[in-house]
Amino acid sequence: MLRQLPVFEDPRLLVGVSTGDDAAVYRLDENLALVLTVDFFPPIVDDPWHFGAIAAANSFSDVYAMGGRPILALNLVCFPSELPVDILGEILKGAAAKAKEAGVMIVGGHTLNDEEPKYGMAVTGFVQPGEQVSNASARVGDQLVLTKPLGTGIITTAGKEGVVDAAILKRAIEVMSILNKAACEAMIEVGVNACTDVTGFGLLGHLQSMVKASGV
């Protein structure tokens, strides 16, 4: 049985573990707060470069979902020692290209020998205190806006089995590699009540977390 994480009563912690948000938000002063998140997963596509790019975009999305701007990242790598190191090199190159596009500096990381490849990032971002967007503030009557099409998980799973059209898989990879930077900027400009990053738990899973945290 999992024990509940301790909740520290610190007024500087603007968003913590209680709401199940995409990232934590910690206020440094009245003008600056840190957005902190970590995410990594095994390959969802065969091409290592695209896997790295997708994983990086996914890691940055947790910061974007909070209305923040990612600035620094640390690589998290699990990689089998028996696989060619060139594969890992391509994963890191794909991630580095996506980080450059996002204006994020990769400043280090950690590598672990593991049976299955996994890659992701620990990401730090900035947000103005009070302007962070949580998944715990949805209201009755809110309209749901999706910034990307659904179904990429189903498509990539079908791709592993070789039962998906190549053009559809190519388009899914393109969509998963797109940064949510522009969507975040539009969200901030328009103004929203709540936001979450729809990834591993699917639309219904993340929506369940949102309505539960928001009490609606």
Side-chain angles (χ1 to χ4, degrees):
M1 185 175 182
L2 293 176
R3 282 193 280 175
Q4 186 176 3
L5 290 171
V7 178
F8 300 100
E9 297 296 331
D10 188 334
R12 293 169 295 182
L13 186 62
L14 304 180
V15 178
V17 299
S18 60
T19 58
D21 262 289
D22 296 292
V25 179
Y26 185 85
R27 178 174 54 82
L28 296 178
D29 56 41
E30 61 181 11
N31 296 313
L32 186 65
L34 295 178
V35 185
L36 305 164
T37 185
V38 60
D39 202 346
F40 68 111
F41 48 73
I44 56 174
V45 294
D46 290 334
D47 184 272
W49 193 97
H50 284 115
F51 169 49
I54 291 169
N58 173 72
S59 297
F60 302 151
S61 283
D62 286 341
V63 176
Y64 291 134
M66 306 300 293
R69 176 172 63 92
I71 56 165
L72 299 173
L74 297 169
N75 284 325
L76 297 175
V77 177
C78 296
F79 196 76
S81 58
E82 62 269 18
L83 286 183
V85 72
D86 290 349
I87 295 176
L88 176 56
E90 285 300 305
I91 294 173
L92 297 179
K93 286 178 182 178
K98 192 56 57 174
K100 182 178 180 181
E101 180 185 344
V104 174
M105 292 178 59
I106 300 176
V107 292
H110 188 73
T111 306
L112 180 69
N113 182 25
D114 200 356
E115 295 181 357
E116 182 182 28
K118 304 174 189 70
Y119 175 72
M121 290 176 163
V123 184
T124 300
F126 287 153
V127 71
Q128 174 81 23
E131 294 186 3
Q132 70 274 3
V133 183
S134 171
N135 73 349
S137 49
R139 300 174 185 172
V140 174
D142 281 350
Q143 294 186 11
L144 182 63
V145 177
L146 300 176
T147 63
K148 291 185 180 183
L150 300 172
T152 52
I154 296 173
I155 292 170
T156 54
T157 300
K160 293 178 182 179
E161 300 298 322
V163 291
V164 67
D165 182 84
I168 293 176
L169 180 59
K170 181 176 182 293
R171 179 55 183 157
I173 291 173
E174 292 173 351
V175 167
M176 289 187 291
S177 301
I178 295 173
L179 293 174
N180 276 320
K181 180 179 179 180
C184 174
E185 293 171 350
M187 172 181 74
I188 294 170
E189 181 179 351
V190 172
V192 299
N193 291 329
C195 181
T196 191
D197 181 38
V198 179
T199 49
F201 298 105
L203 175 64
L204 293 182
H206 288 279
L207 186 60
Q208 181 185 42
S209 296
M210 176 177 282
V211 298
K212 182 178 179 181
S214 302
V216 296

